[in-house]
Amino acid sequence: MALRPRISQGRFLCTQISNHNHRHSNHRRRWPIKQVTKSNFSEALAQIKTHINDSDFIAVSLQKTGSYSSPWHRVLPVDTPETAYFKAKYAAGRFQVLQFAVCPFSVRDSKVIAHPYNFHLFPRDELKIGMPSYSFSCQSSYLTSMAREGFDFNACIYDGISYLSRSQESALKDRIGNLVPSKCVEQSSSGLSVADAIFVGRIKARIKHWTTAIKDTGPKNEDVLIKSLRKLILGSEQHGSRPCLGIDVCSERQVQLVVEMLRDFSDDLVPLLIPAKGGGTQAVRVVLTSSKEDRESFVRELQNLEEEQNKRVRGFREVIDLISASQKPVVSHNSLNDFSFIYSNFISSLPSSMDEFRSSLHLVFPHILDVSYLMKEIGPLKKVTNLLNEIGPLKKVTNLPAAISVLKTRFFAPIDMDISHQADGHEGKIHGHKVLRISELFAKLCSILKISTGTLKDDDSHLPSVLEGYVNTFTPHATNSEDPVDEDVSVWTDNPRKVNYKDLVFLWGFRGGMSAKMLNKFLRDSHHEVFSEDFDVRLLDRSCAVVVFWKSGSSETFLEAMDSGGNSCESLREMISEGLRAADYQIYSKACRLGLWEADLADSLENAMADSDSNSEARSTDPLEICWNGDLMIYLDDL
Amino acid sequence: MKNLWIVRALSKTLTLTSSSSSSFTRSLCSSTTPTPTFAIKNVTKSNFESTLSDLRRIVRDADFVSVDLEMTGVTSAPWRESFEFDRFDIRYLKVKDSAEKFAVVQFGVCPFRWNSSKQSFIAYPHNFYIFPRKEIPVDGRSYEFLCQTTSIDFLAKYQFDFNLCIQEGISYLSRGQEDDAMRTLHIVYDDELLELRRNSREARDAPVVRIADFLFTERMKNRISEWRDGLLLNRNGGFETQESSNDTTQHLQTIFFKMRPALLLNGFTSHQLRLIQLVTEKHYEDLVFVREKAETSSGDQLIVYTDSKNDRDLLMKEVRDGLHKEAEMKIKAAVGFRHVIDLLSSEQKLIVGHNCFLDIAHIYSKFFGPLPSTAEEYVSSVNKHFPYIIDTKILLNANDIHLPMMKKSGTSLSKAFALLCPEIASSVQGLGSGPKPRVKVEVQVDDMRSSNWNSGAKHEAGYDAFMTGCIFAQACSHLGFDFKLHSPSTNLANDEKLQKHINLLYLSWINGDIIDLRTGNRTAESLYSNNLKNRYPKTVFQNIALIWGFLPKIKAREIRECITKAFGLNSVSSVYHLDETAVFVQFSKAELVSDFLQLKQTLERNNDPISVLHPLSKLLEGGNTRAATYEFYKRMCSSPISEVLFADQAEAMGINWKTEPLESDREVETLENEMAAFPNASDRSELGKINGMINDLACGHFQDDEAIDSSYTREAQLSK
């Protein structure tokens, strides 16, 4: 097993990942997926490069160490895209991606030609610089369910591929500098000062002396001892097989002077910058090459070295860069979560607003397709075909296998999977299969939605115009299918009612252990005028509930009553004195924006209310928000 | 894990190959050539129960028990690492943060018992793999823990088996969690009593909508009637088995449930079962629908015949009690590894650890309850659970143990082990020049599960615990303690030679701060030991200001220059980088801190040309430079948030001032003015003595760039 070569050396008790651990795997087709770790990364990188070039789409899927730590941290039906983004951002900052499956694929007629790869990642600090990540969180339920599916943590941690994000790489470059002086050392704009001239003159003389001494290996049969003594005095060293001379510098100005002087002085000399520990340059190493050809080969060597170093620094990010450079549409499931992880791990830290995120992400991945969004699109289509009963279930099936099986029973869309890899002894490993299911589902959906996928080659934009409509929609309501807590095939009865978020009121501070039903009755019994109208209550977590008023304006009335201590209503006053609190949607979205991720939503809302300082700031941004999501869809039955 | 990876790694103590099953008890300190093998008992979920019962006996007979932990990390952010600039309360907050965030993945327990016939100690090294799996739903929250990337990588370097830990690790509940789970269970139990009556009423009203459901219901009604009638018939005319419901295949089967005839329902879907339940409750007063198992959906569903209403109630109660008991058993089982901790605590044995303040904090937060907010409260609470704790690091640095070699080579675990138990170590290292070990130690592992053997390895908690125990035994002997004269009935912890050292722990190894678990008093190490490592003058915390958010190009030297230009050459005694975004500046006088903060505030307020030309303006460049007193660092450390960079952390905590408001200082000032008779009252109370010391010291002692070479930090990490 190429995956775990080191284990056998020391441990005798190492667990074998046995095949019968896989609960689900028996009835599944065993698609061969190339498993990639540190040891075969270079080779896989070359392969995937051609596969990305040859394919029309790229499916991605991530296996993380967790998703949300408290019930309300996951995306709830009351979330707007903005609050959903804050939740995704919070998760992306804490959890770690352990597996990244990439599958370049094309659809030809009813055939998917797929090249699945599954990369094992570990944020190892290869360069001892505290990057890519100082620490990360794990949810034990996630790890346990991964273990149940036979995930090999040892392989991942011992042999996972590390990486740096783009911003981390540039920060690193700033800190340690480039090994090779950039080709475009600026022309010195100012003239030489006296001190500069003296410095240049001194260095020039030293180099001249040194080069003549080195080249002067004429007929004199010098003693070996004298030869080496001379070298010692001249300060000559060896750089590989070539002689070199170290010149200490104390400023970047001097570096520039030395490099310029060398360029004018001789063609045989190549300067190398030796970085200082704290950043900047410590010395310039002058390497003497023997001829023009030798110089060229040396420069090429240096370039290779730099590339090698870059490869080591970027690690897995090379794959992300390849995908990004190809500009091909990327297909994912639950795109908001996955792409906030991708952005924060491989591009840069996540921006502070959804709009900013959307636009910066667009620069890296211009076309992102979400299969869960496409699934929803089937709804209206089916209405036409007069199968009303089936719409409901379909609309909210967010679990991949369930989605496929639902499609299978409802539609005739046979898709053949054609996998390029040969089974290579990894039959037991089912990791990364999700990415293939995404490709399969995508192909099925395209065929159902009558989207032609075959003509991509000639299209300049890489994307059929039909698909354009589905691009870059981040659906906040895609519940997480990896969620080990509820794996059930969730079929909702269909009863969506539109609710404006203004009609929502968050309630907390009621007696612990109350169910939504009890709370509903409790409120109704308060006999406050607003509760004589139609309203609905759902618990968001154990500490907090949301009340939906079906009559507009009721929420304001209620909040006013709460603010005034319930003076118009005795029982409401009683409840307030017992600790009942209420807040509008602004407070909720503020809690998300400020990152007040307490374990209980009640605490977060309380803190958000207490935080008066940023209130003014919040107000100024609010109108925008209101325009942007004029009405918020809430599928009440999800609550 | 214990911070000391590098050093411990360097001194290789034992080469470990797989143990042959021939001899389970092996003299490690005998003069004959020792065999370089080591036996250890690895414990996971599968053999936990049996090991626990053996361990109870072993611990009861033991003279002392040594422990060691492996964690998923030590510090959640670089600025939370151990610094020389840590006041004792901050040190505790850092330990608290670490214990709360990281998980323990391996727990080494090694009881030692003196065997007078063999004149040696017998050690029983146990290596428990533990994992915080959520076995029962305590509350809605998921179990979560932090991993420090370098720590995980370090564990990997020593071939830690993560798969085994995650799949087979023993889970646990703290006492608090167990109580919570029990309480919820009782509430649910009470609610169920209520719900059951109401539900059945409501269920009766629920209409059957679909045609298919209706047909199925009718059919089931017939079957149940048939069965019930048959039952009644049999009852009157003697009892004989009559397979009246044979035609419905194996779906229905007559059995006895709690001495009553019952119909076992097999192979129905949950929806069908719901319909059957509906029918039963609607149409038959004397039939009860019962679920035998609590949570598993595969649990048997039965329709039970009851004689009377009384009998019916009795049955319901029996069933509920059964379910309740089952749930209770489940909670008991979920307590898991905590049983071992409870055992150590209840047996009141002497616990031996090596630099174990963090270890004890982990044990407390994982198995007892949330860590208190102050060190004093924590310490007294720990003392209740573990009345006798001894730290070998303290012992080795104590005045009255004369170990000249030790001072030179350091008191890290593996070095101390190599030095004090050279026979064990020398077989590999040839380090035989140390003092002769005076106490023999043998290792015993039961031979029942020889297949479970693993060769001992450094940084395996069980082996580290073993080494710690060996060091303790040797150190005792150096103290003049003779185990041969020691009667097994007396508690080792009560011996007067040990009294001086017991219950003392290093709160901070770099500062030499020692805390007494009995009293909560802190002692400076110099009073206790002959260790002269206090090369650096003591820190005065009132003299320290925190500055962060300055431009990244500004380094310690520039900051010093800026401030000395404004406040005089001797105003700054040291500048210390916390991380790349923040520095501690120690002024020569406490007043300078408030002067500095005030000046900064003034400069920021008036944005006139004079302020721009002010020497401090370089520091304030970028407009994001913030400053605060040392107290602010405490606030940072007590925050549950852990951003990697100090500046980001302050932002995440919602800090929106640029200079910490000085109101509190002013209050103190007026207070001091009022009490003019006691100048510097606050100083005297706590740090007066040290203050006096510091004032005598010339400021030149300090080096600017201490932070850059970060030797302190490294030393802190090496301290264990």
Side-chain angles (χ1 to χ4, degrees), chain A residues 381-393:
Chain A
L381 241 180
K382 290 225 58 190
K383 233 170 229 161
V384 179
T385 53
N386 224 354
L387 280 163
L388 268 166
N389 285 346
E390 260 69 26
I391 302 167

Side-chain angles (χ1 to χ4, degrees), chain A residues 11 69 133 136 153 158 542, chain B residues 141 144 147 149 159-160:
Chain A
R11 292 271 161 170
S69 16
S133 108
F136 56 90
F153 291 94
Y158 295 4
R542 58 177 190 168
Chain B
R141 273 165 238 178
E144 202 177 313
C147 295
T149 313
Q159 260 105 47
F160 183 85

Side-chain angles (χ1 to χ4, degrees), chain B residues 60 72 217 245 292-293 310 315 340 350 365 375 399 410 434 503:
Chain B
R60 198 168 301 129
T72 57
T217 311
S245 49
E292 215 183 347
K293 287 230 168 56
N310 268 351
L315 174 75
V340 175
L350 177 64
S365 85
N399 279 327
N503 285 336

Side-chain angles (χ1 to χ4, degrees), chain A residues 121-136:
Chain A
L121 306 185
F122 186 72
R124 202 175 303 97
D125 191 357
E126 300 269 17
L127 304 160
K128 306 279 170 257
I129 44 167
M131 290 198 270
S133 108
Y134 185 82
S135 62
F136 56 90

Side-chain angles (χ1 to χ4, degrees), chain B residues 492-653:
Chain B
L492 197 62
N494 292 327
D495 187 88
E496 61 177 294
K497 290 197 185 70
L498 281 178
Q499 275 305 306
K500 228 183 109 186
H501 310 287
I502 213 155
N503 285 336
L504 293 177
L505 295 184
Y506 275 110
L507 191 54
S508 156
W509 164 244
I510 14 171
N511 292 354
D513 260 348
I514 293 171
I515 193 158
D516 189 330
L517 295 180
R518 284 161 300 195
T519 60
N521 290 342
R522 282 166 294 109
T523 342
E525 188 180 34
S526 48
L527 305 175
Y528 170 78
S529 80
N530 54 3
N531 190 343
L532 293 173
K533 70 187 171 64
N534 292 327
R535 287 152 292 174
Y536 312 107
K538 278 282 178 191
T539 314
V540 189
F541 301 104
Q542 286 108 318
N543 295 7
I544 292 177
L546 260 169
I547 308 174
W548 70 95
F550 42 82
L551 293 181
K553 61 172 188 187
I554 298 179
K555 296 280 181 290
R557 198 191 303 143
E558 281 100 326
I559 292 173
R560 191 198 182 104
E561 268 168 25
C562 279
I563 298 174
T564 47
K565 267 185 212 156
F567 290 97
L569 261 182
N570 291 333
S571 57
V572 176
S573 35
S574 62
V575 178
Y576 185 101
H577 261 288
L578 232 83
D579 66 10
E580 56 201 270
T581 64
V583 287
F584 277 134
V585 175
Q586 179 163 244
F587 288 93
S588 53
K589 277 181 287 182
E591 300 88 82
L592 285 173
V593 175
S594 48
D595 290 353
F596 168 73
L597 293 178
Q598 254 150 21
L599 177 63
K600 178 172 177 292
Q601 213 162 18
T602 324
L603 285 176
E604 274 160 353
R605 216 178 292 133
N606 337 323
N607 205 10
D608 49 36
I610 301 167
S611 5
V612 175
L613 288 174
H614 196 278
L616 268 191
S617 64
K618 188 179 175 195
L619 182 61
L620 306 182
E621 227 177 290
N624 230 349
T625 306
R626 321 218 161 187
T629 59
Y630 187 79
E631 286 306 316
F632 182 70
Y633 188 46
K634 183 175 180 180
R635 217 176 118 194
M636 294 275 284
C637 287
S638 50
S639 159
I641 308 168
S642 262
E643 294 289 333
V644 173
L645 295 178
F646 189 93
D648 294 345
Q649 168 82 7
E651 206 187 318
M653 283 169 63

Side-chain angles (χ1 to χ4, degrees), chain B residues 38-83:
Chain B
F38 188 77
I40 196 162
K41 179 145 179 124
N42 279 295
V43 191
T44 58
K45 254 192 326 200
S46 53
N47 61 345
F48 178 65
E49 286 298 326
S50 59
T51 308
L52 183 63
S53 58
D54 291 344
L55 192 67
R56 283 185 199 283
R57 183 180 41 80
I58 296 171
V59 167
R60 198 168 301 129
D61 297 340
D63 291 293
F64 64 91
V65 181
S66 56
V67 294
D68 187 87
L69 278 63
E70 296 291 330
M71 290 78 104
T72 57
V74 181
T75 50
S76 56
W79 54 267
R80 282 197 202 258
E81 277 164 16
S82 193
F83 295 124

Side-chain angles (χ1 to χ4, degrees), chain B residues 216-217 219-232 234 239 241-268 273 276-277 279-280 284 286-292 299-306 315 319:
Chain B
F216 177 80
T217 311
R219 186 183 156 87
M220 284 321 292
K221 204 158 93 186
N222 288 338
R223 296 267 169 256
I224 295 166
S225 289
E226 235 171 73
W227 175 76
R228 178 169 160 273
D229 295 346
L231 213 64
L232 290 172
N234 279 338
F239 208 91
T241 7
Q242 184 204 1
E243 292 297 314
S244 61
S245 49
N246 240 356
D247 50 335
T248 44
T249 66
Q250 293 93 348
H251 277 350
L252 301 172
Q253 194 189 345
T254 306
I255 57 156
F256 280 89
F257 180 72
K258 297 202 191 285
M259 314 283 286
R260 296 171 186 88
L263 204 54
L264 182 64
L265 308 169
N266 268 332
F268 290 102
L273 284 169
I276 296 172
Q277 178 175 12
V279 163
T280 318
Y284 307 97
D286 50 0
L287 295 185
V288 185
F289 187 89
V290 163
R291 232 177 330 129
E292 215 183 347
D300 296 335
Q301 321 262 342
L302 301 149
I303 295 174
V304 188
Y305 174 80
T306 52
L315 174 75
V319 169

